[in-house]
Amino acid sequence: MVTLGFIGLGHMGGPMATQLVRDGHDVVVFDRDSEAIEAIETAGGTGADSAAAVGTAAEIIYLSLPGPEEVKTVVSELEKSIEPGSVVVDMTTSRPETTETVAERLASHGATVLGSPVSGGTSGAADGTLTAMVSGDRATFEATREYFDAFTANVFYVGPDPGHGHAVKLLNNYLSNTALIATSEAVVLGQQIGIDIETMCEIFSVSSGRNSATEKKFPDAIAQGRDVGFALELMEKDTRLLLEFAEDKQVPLLVANVVRSQIGRTRTRYDDSGDMTDIYEYISEVATGAGTPPSDGG
Ligand code: NAD
C-alpha cells in the first residue's frame, strides 16, 4: 500500500487528512501543533515528529500550510529526506512562482510537485466535496488521481506549469472575496430599511446576484452568527498574493485594491486573528453609526 504524508493539519488539512484515513489509506502526518497531530492519530493516522520524517515515510505528501513562506520552510525540511519518485501535492493557497521554484528544487531530488489548491471551505473539507485545481506533470497527476477522491467532488487538471493551479486559485478567491464584501454591503443596506437577511439571501441565491456568499456563507454561517472558518489573515494573504501576481504580469486589478483596503480596515477594527465573517460585522457597524467609516474611498 502507498504511504501518504500530510503536513499542515489546520481548518482544511485536519479534515482532509481525516478523510484519507477514513478511506483506508496509511497516512503519516506532521504539524507544528502537536494537538493537531494527536487528533489525526485518534482517527487512525500515524504522527511524525518532523516534516523530514514525513518525507522519509511517505511516497505522496500533501501540504496544507498557511502560505508560501511556510511552504518554503517545509520544502527545505523535505529536501533532507525525500525519496526519488516521491510526489508533493501542495494544496496551500500559495504564490504561483513559489510553486514553480519548489518544483525545481524538489526535481533535483527526483521528486515531482503538483500545485493543487482547493476550494470549498472547511465544510467542503469535512464532507469531501472540495474542488481541486491541479497543475504539473500530467502523468503524475493521472497516477495520483485516485487519492483526491477522499476529499474532493471535482478535480480539474489546469496544465503542465506547476504554478498554474495556484494562479487559478488566486483568481477564484478574488471573485469570492469581492462577492463577500459586495454581498455584505447589499445585505446591510437592505437591513437598514427593515428587510431580513434570510429573505434577501433566499432571493439573491435564485436571482442574478447569486454568489458563494449568498448561497453558502450568509445562510450557513453569517446569518446564524457563526464563523465561516476562514481567517481574515488568510483572506488578506490571498489578496496580497493576487496583487503581487497581477503586478508582475502588469494587469491592473482595481477592485482587488478595494478588497484589500476593506480587509485591512476590518483587521484594524477587530482582532487581527478574526474570521472573514468580521467583514460583514464591520460594514454593519459603520452603517449603524457604531464604526468609523472608510475615509480613503479605497
Ligand atoms: P490553518 O491556519 O487553520 O492551518 C494551517 C496549519 O499549518 C496549522 O495547523 C499550522 O500549525 C500548520 N503549520 C504552519 N506552519 C507549519 C510548519 N512550518 N510546519 C508544519 N505545520 C505548519 O489554515 P487553513 O484554514 O487550514 O488553510 C490552509 C491553507 O488552505 C491556506 O493556504 C488557506 O489559504 C487555504 N484554504 C483555506 C480555506 C478555508 O476555508 N479555511 C479554504 C480553501 C483554501
Side-chain angles (χ1 to χ4, degrees):
M1 190 192 272
V2 170
T3 301
L4 306 179
F6 211 111
I7 303 172
L9 307 166
H11 287 98
M12 296 296 288
M16 285 192 277
T18 303
Q19 290 287 0
L20 286 166
V21 172
R22 283 196 189 135
D23 268 14
H25 299 297
D26 269 346
V27 188
V28 179
V29 301
F30 176 69
D31 192 290
R32 62 183 178 190
D33 173 2
S34 60
E35 283 182 20
I37 297 178
E38 283 161 24
I40 306 300
E41 285 175 332
T42 304
T46 306
D49 60 9
S50 67
V54 176
T56 306
E59 289 124 287
I60 305 173
I61 302 159
Y62 298 89
L63 310 182
S64 179
L65 295 160
E69 295 315 312
E70 291 81 3
V71 169
K72 284 190 259 180
T73 303
V74 165
V75 166
S76 299
E77 283 291 303
L78 288 175
E79 281 187 291
K80 296 176 189 166
S81 61
I82 199 158
E83 297 286 340
S86 299
V87 180
V88 172
V89 182
D90 184 10
M91 300 193 289
T92 309
T93 303
S94 190
R95 182 186 289 116
E97 201 188 341
T98 301
T99 317
E100 288 157 10
T101 306
V102 298
E104 278 170 27
R105 271 167 54 184
L106 288 174
S108 68
H109 297 269
T112 306
V113 170
L114 295 176
S116 177
V118 291
S119 178
T122 50
S123 58
D127 59 21
T129 58
L130 293 172
T131 295
M133 27 208 119
V134 190
S135 57
D137 177 59
R138 180 154 207 151
T140 305
F141 165 64
E142 301 292 354
T144 55
R145 171 76 182 76
E146 65 183 285
Y147 301 104
F148 284 99
D149 289 346
F151 46 80
T152 62
N154 297 292
V155 182
F156 293 94
Y157 179 69
V158 182
D161 184 318
H164 280 190
H166 283 114
V168 173
K169 171 64 177 168
L170 293 181
L171 301 177
N172 175 77
N173 282 23
Y174 179 24
L175 299 180
S176 92
N177 290 338
T178 302
L180 175 70
I181 292 173
T183 303
S184 297
E185 290 179 345
V187 165
V188 165
L189 179 54
Q191 285 178 304
Q192 284 291 87
I193 59 164
I195 305 171
D196 71 72
I197 196 166
E198 288 84 4
T199 302
M200 283 186 277
C201 286
E202 208 179 336
I203 294 169
F204 295 151
S205 293
V206 291
S207 303
S208 53
R210 69 182 168 276
N211 62 64
S212 56
T214 64
E215 289 181 327
K216 277 186 76 84
K217 294 186 184 94
F218 269 83
D220 295 355
I222 298 174
Q224 298 178 37
R226 291 197 298 114
D227 281 357
V228 171
F230 187 81
L232 266 178
E233 192 178 358
L234 292 179
M235 197 178 173
E236 186 163 64
K237 176 253 325 187
D238 292 350
T239 312
R240 173 174 51 80
L241 295 179
L242 169 80
L243 283 164
E244 284 172 11
F245 174 52
E247 193 178 333
D248 185 48
K249 302 300 169 203
Q250 299 188 337
V251 176
L253 299 182
L254 302 183
V255 175
N257 284 296
V258 178
V259 168
R260 189 177 189 182
S261 298
Q262 188 65 305
I263 297 168
R265 280 193 286 268
T266 309
R267 288 193 74 195
T268 304
R269 167 66 184 89
Y270 301 111
D271 181 356
D272 266 3
S273 61
D275 186 79
M276 60 159 39
T277 315
D278 290 347
I279 295 277
Y280 165 75
E281 295 296 331
Y282 174 71
I283 291 168
S284 194
E285 258 193 30
V286 171
T288 55
T292 311
S295 58
D296 59 5

